[in-house]
Amino acid sequence: MAKKYNIAVIPGDGIGPEITSAAIEVLEAAAKSKEIEIVARELKAGGEAVDQFGIPLPQETISAAKDSDAVLLGAVGGPKWDNVDPEVRPEKALLGLRSGLGLYANIRPVKVYDELKAASPLKNPGNIDFVIVRELTGGIYFGKIGSYQSGDRLSDGTVKGKVAYDTESYSEGEINRILKIAFELAMTRRKKLTLVDKANVLLTSRMWRRLASQMAYDYPEVEFDCLYVDNAAMQIISRPSTFDVIVTSNLFGDILSDEAGQIAGSIGMLPSASLGAAGTPGMYEPIHGSAPDLAGQNKANPLACILSAAMMMRMQFGEEEIASDIENAVKKTLESGLRTSDITFVGEGTNIKLVGTKEITQAVIENL
Ligand code: IPM
Ligand code: MG
C-alpha cells in the first residue's frame, strides 16, 4: 500500500474498548479503499492501568503516543476508581496525555443530524452547526492546587474548618494561540466567533477579552462578539443555530460542550479533536465518558468514536475524502433507521430499529 498511518489506540475503561475497536474497523475499511494502511497499536491508560501498574498513565503509553502519527482514545474512568488517591485517578491519564502531547486546542463540533432532531430535548432545534474551541492545557485544570489546610475564613471573619483551592491562571501566550486557532477556524466556516468568559468577575477573563478584541482587528471579516458564560449557557439553548465558533477556557468549555451534546440528541454522537503544534500527533476522542453501566453489553453508541476517527483523517492527515466517506456512511446508517439505545426515543417512525454496537458498526462499514 502506498501510505501507512501509525495510530496509537487507547481504549481505556468502560465502553472504551468496544467503541475504539468499532472506530478502527471502520477506519481500516475506509482507508483500504484509498490504498492506505492503518497500523493500530493498543496502549494502556486510565483505570485499567491503575489496576495493572498502580498509575493511570504508564511512561510507555506516553512515549508510544508521542511516537505515533495520531492517538485515538475511548474513555477513561468509572466508579470503581472513585476512592483511589486523587493523584492516580484514571482521569489523570487524560490530563497527562493532553499536557504531555501539548494538546492545547480542543475542537468539539456540535451538529444535529436531521434524523436525530426528535431526540433533541429542544422543541425546534433548527439547523445547529457550531464548534466549541476549548483551551485544554491551562486554566484551573492545571493551576495551583492547595491541600486541605486549616484556616478557612468565613465571610463573617471567623475561622473554621479546612481550606482547599485550585487557581485559574492564563498567560497571554496560552490565550493568543487558542484564539488564533478559533479565528482561523471561523474563517473557514460562517465567519462568526463568540468568546465565552466571565469578564464581569474574573481577571483572567478580562485578559481573554482584551486579547481577543485585539486579534479581531486581524480578522476584519469575522463577526466577533463576547458572552458571559452564564448567559452563554442560556443562549446555547435559546438560539443554538446562531452560533458558529465558540472559543473559551478549559473549564467553561468542558461544561458547555456537555450541554451542547445534549441538544444534539445524544452526547454519544459528538466527536472531538485535541491538537498541539503542527506536525505533532493529535488525540481524537468522543466527548462522552466511559458509561460503565453499558460496558461489555454491546449497547454503546460507537458513532462519536467513529466520527472522531473521521476528524483524525481530516485534521491530522488531510485525508478529506476518507473523512467525508466515514461521515456520509454514518449519515446513511442513521437514515436507514438504525439506532443505539441512546438515540432512540418515543414516537419515532416505523423504520427505526434498535441495534447494538456491533450491528451499527457493520452498517457503517457497509455504507462506506
Ligand atoms: C472531557 C472530560 C474530562 C475533562 C474529564 C474526564 C477529566 O469531562 O474530556 O470533557 O474534564 O476534560
Ligand atoms: Mg467533559
Side-chain angles (χ1 to χ4, degrees), residues 241-262:
S241 58
T242 64
F243 289 100
D244 182 15
V245 180
I246 291 176
V247 64
T248 191
S249 63
N250 203 342
L251 183 63
F252 294 163
D254 178 48
I255 298 167
L256 293 181
S257 58
D258 270 30
E259 183 192 15
Q262 197 52 47

Side-chain angles (χ1 to χ4, degrees), residues 76-77 90-92 94-95 98 106 108 134 136 141 250-251 253-255 257-258 272 274 285-289:
V76 294
E91 288 83 355
K92 285 271 172 186
L94 207 49
L95 302 189
R98 289 172 183 170
N106 187 208
R108 297 188 160 182
R134 167 190 177 193
L136 203 58
Y141 273 57
N250 203 342
L251 183 63
D254 178 48
I255 298 167
S257 58
D258 270 30
S272 81
S274 301
E285 57 174 310
I287 80 158
H288 60 71

Side-chain angles (χ1 to χ4, degrees), residues 18 21 72 96 128 157-158 160 200 262 281 294 314 323 358 367:
E18 294 162 80
S21 73
L72 182 74
I128 300 175
T158 57
K160 193 181 165 197
N200 49 349
Q262 197 52 47
L294 301 181
R314 175 177 294 118
K358 291 201 176 104
N367 285 326

Side-chain angles (χ1 to χ4, degrees), residues 286-304:
I287 80 158
H288 60 71
S290 61
D293 50 321
L294 301 181
Q297 301 166 52
N298 193 36
K299 279 187 181 162
N301 181 354
L303 297 178

Side-chain angles (χ1 to χ4, degrees), residues 58 64 90 111 118 169 213:
K111 218 171 138 161
S169 72
S213 309

